[in-house]
Amino acid sequence: MEDIKVAREILNYLTEGYPLEELNFRLWDGSVVGNKNAKTTIVISYPWTLRELFLRPSELKFAEGYIYNHYDIVGHIYNIFPFADFLRRKH
């Protein structure tokens, strides 16, 4: 359960200041961070996925993570692009 708590803290930090009306995150235990009625869900499949994606982010890591099902995008994929731009500006 400690992994869930840490993942929630990381996601809350990453999304601070971003309106989560259209986007949420579902963790490997089924819990949701963000609007449960969002049109797009980023499914985090494993406890270590966030560390892999954000410790040293790269396009290759994001592509490999998607291919190997470390995360998935359910719903309208276009809703993740404004969030990606937000993260780029924030960090």
Side-chain angles (χ1 to χ4, degrees):
M1 290 314 228
E2 183 67 24
D3 291 338
I4 294 294
K5 181 181 174 188
V6 171
R8 287 181 162 284
E9 289 173 3
I10 291 169
L11 289 172
N12 286 332
Y13 171 75
L14 290 173
T15 60
E16 185 178 356
Y18 186 80
L20 287 174
E21 291 88 22
E22 301 294 325
L23 178 69
N24 68 31
F25 297 85
R26 187 171 62 229
L27 301 178
W28 56 94
D29 72 338
S31 64
V32 174
V33 175
N35 179 5
K36 292 184 181 190
N37 297 317
K39 293 180 181 175
T40 303
T41 300
I42 298 175
V43 181
I44 307 297
S45 303
Y46 304 101
W48 43 264
T49 299
L50 290 173
R51 182 184 67 232
E52 285 293 313
L53 291 176
F54 293 109
L55 187 59
R56 291 188 188 130
S58 71
E59 291 176 1
L60 179 60
K61 280 188 180 183
F62 280 95
E64 287 178 339
Y66 185 76
I67 290 169
Y68 294 118
N69 201 34
H70 297 172
Y71 72 94
D72 195 10
I73 300 165
V74 178
H76 300 286
I77 192 168
Y78 293 107
N79 288 333
I80 69 166
F81 297 121
F83 180 65
D85 289 338
F86 169 81
L87 286 178
R88 191 173 306 126
R89 287 189 310 271
K90 183 176 180 177
H91 301 283

